[in-house]
Amino acid sequence: MSVMTTGDTDLEPTRLTVDDLQRTPDDGRRYELVDGRLDVSPAPASFHTLVTGRLTAHLSNCAPTGLMIMDGPGITLNAQRTRHRIPDVAVIRNEDFQMPYTTRPPLLAVEVVSPESVLRDHHTKKHEYAAFGIPSYWLITPDPDDPSIIELQLKDGEYTEVAAAFGKDVLDTDLPFPVRIAPQWLLRLDGDWREHVGGPKEADETRAEQETEKPENDA
């Protein structure tokens, strides 16, 4: 974390707002704010970028009308505009889109966890996103040997883990909309990831059959 100060140790450190972010360099790093202090992350590594790109594309293909999938949107978390985060991916209602940054909770925030961001993503952002009221939070670990997705949902003001998928397992969730994701296909370079990222087709067909049979069963 980088902290901006006035240069005089007897003075209160200068509290930055989102307006100050416009003066940060365009150097590939991520500049966020924590109570008016800069929190700087290094430029994402290749696996991080690969996962983010594939996840954004897959969610975009599955999202219903009225929702947008955004890669790295800026989200201002408080009225003082001194707390600002940039999730790797977010799902936002069309009517909640704002410029230059959104001030309304997205339906989903996703962080791709890197070695240097474990504490930030699993603890700091987890509490910040919960306090802001983001209903769903995913943590993706892009481990080439055992990638994973942890799904958290907001309950009584705190996040509760509701599902997890590792490797070839499939995360099957209805929030923020029905979608299935096999973590390994967010990283694998062999085969067509677009064909496999949603898991085995047999599972899709079974789920479709179950949905079709529901009215008959209810009757």
Side-chain angles (χ1 to χ4, degrees), residues 35-142:
D35 295 328
R37 297 168 297 168
L38 274 181
D39 188 355
V40 184
S41 304
S46 297
F47 271 145
H48 185 288
T49 304
L50 180 65
V51 169
T52 300
R54 288 185 175 182
L55 180 65
T56 300
H58 181 55
L59 291 178
S60 296
N61 287 335
C62 299
T65 302
L67 299 181
M68 61 176 66
I69 315 302
M70 299 190 68
D71 180 353
I75 301 176
T76 302
L77 304 178
N78 64 344
Q80 295 76 26
R81 305 195 307 156
T82 57
R83 190 172 298 165
H84 183 84
R85 288 301 191 182
I86 307 175
D88 289 307
V89 179
V91 177
I92 296 176
R93 297 183 186 90
N94 287 354
E95 60 266 28
D96 289 338
F97 179 80
Q98 296 171 284
M99 289 288 291
Y101 309 115
T102 185
T103 61
R104 301 164 186 162
L107 299 179
L108 167 69
V110 182
E111 295 291 354
V112 180
V113 182
S114 57
E116 64 274 4
S117 74
V118 173
L119 179 62
R120 180 191 295 117
D121 294 338
H122 279 268
H123 297 280
T124 307
K125 286 191 175 182
K126 177 181 175 182
H127 294 302
E128 290 176 342
Y129 290 166
F132 191 53
I134 300 176
S136 295
Y137 181 35
W138 294 358
L139 291 158
I140 300 180
T141 301

Side-chain angles (χ1 to χ4, degrees), residues 192-213:
D192 187 348
W193 73 271
R194 290 163 294 190
E195 180 181 352
H196 300 290
V197 69
K201 291 184 177 180
E202 299 79 25
D204 290 330
E205 295 171 356
T206 300
R207 183 173 182 176
E209 291 174 359
Q210 292 173 343
E211 291 296 327
T212 303
E213 293 172 359

